[in-house]
């Protein structure tokens, strides 16, 4: 994958900016994914002033190491994983809830 094919750019101070479309990914999915990367990176989130459907994420390494496109690729893979989890939960979450409810029902000994 060439860096020009993903909405990514290097910015000043060894930072990366990744632009995400809110019509493709929910804000909850973006937040859940970003949270998983907060151990290694400072992540700043802002909206685009010209396009409200675009979220800018800026990554800065906590340890001062170089940031390259592999960070964005890992983030995108995790983003897809989180989005699929959200879709599955929306579609089948009620079944999980019924199973948990049934599993924790009190047992009557008669």
């Amino acid at each position: 994958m060439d860096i020009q094919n993903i909405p990514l750019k290097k910015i000043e101070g060894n930072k990366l900016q990744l632009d995400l479309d809110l019509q493709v990914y929910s804000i909850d999915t973006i937040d859940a994914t970003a949270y998983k990367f907060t151990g290694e990176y400072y992540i700043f989130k802002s909206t685009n002033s010209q396009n409200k459907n675009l979220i800018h994420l800026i990554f800065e390494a906590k340890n001062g190491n170089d940031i390259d496109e592999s960070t964005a690729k890992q983030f995108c893979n995790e983003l897809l994983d989180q989005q699929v989890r959200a879709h599955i939960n929306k579609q089948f979450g009620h079944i999980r809830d019924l199973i948990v409810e049934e599993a924790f029902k009190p047992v009557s000994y008669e």
Side-chain angles (χ1 to χ4, degrees), residues 88-101:
I88 289 172
N89 188 48
K90 184 176 180 181
Q91 189 174 8
F92 299 110
H94 66 286
I95 295 172
R96 180 203 57 231
D97 294 343
L98 290 172
I99 291 169
V100 170
E101 181 182 326

Side-chain angles (χ1 to χ4, degrees), residues 8-43:
L8 174 72
K9 64 181 172 185
K10 272 206 168 244
I11 55 177
E12 87 288 335
N14 191 32
K15 297 175 187 173
L16 284 179
Q17 178 178 313
L18 180 63
D19 296 333
L20 299 171
D21 189 338
L22 289 174
Q23 294 177 329
V24 177
Y25 303 106
S26 73
I27 194 69
D28 291 338
T29 299
I30 294 169
D31 288 347
T33 305
Y35 179 74
K36 293 186 103 176
F37 281 73
T38 58
E40 295 181 47
Y41 303 97
Y42 297 112
I43 301 174

Side-chain angles (χ1 to χ4, degrees), residues 7-9 11 16-22 27 30-31 34 43-59 75:
L8 174 72
K9 64 181 172 185
I11 55 177
L16 284 179
Q17 178 178 313
L18 180 63
D19 296 333
L20 299 171
D21 189 338
L22 289 174
I27 194 69
I30 294 169
D31 288 347
I43 301 174
F44 307 94
K45 181 174 69 170
S46 65
T47 56
N48 183 309
S49 59
Q50 297 166 337
N51 181 352
K52 296 298 182 191
N53 286 322
L54 199 60
I55 292 285
H56 302 302
L57 292 181
I58 297 175
F59 294 80
F75 186 88

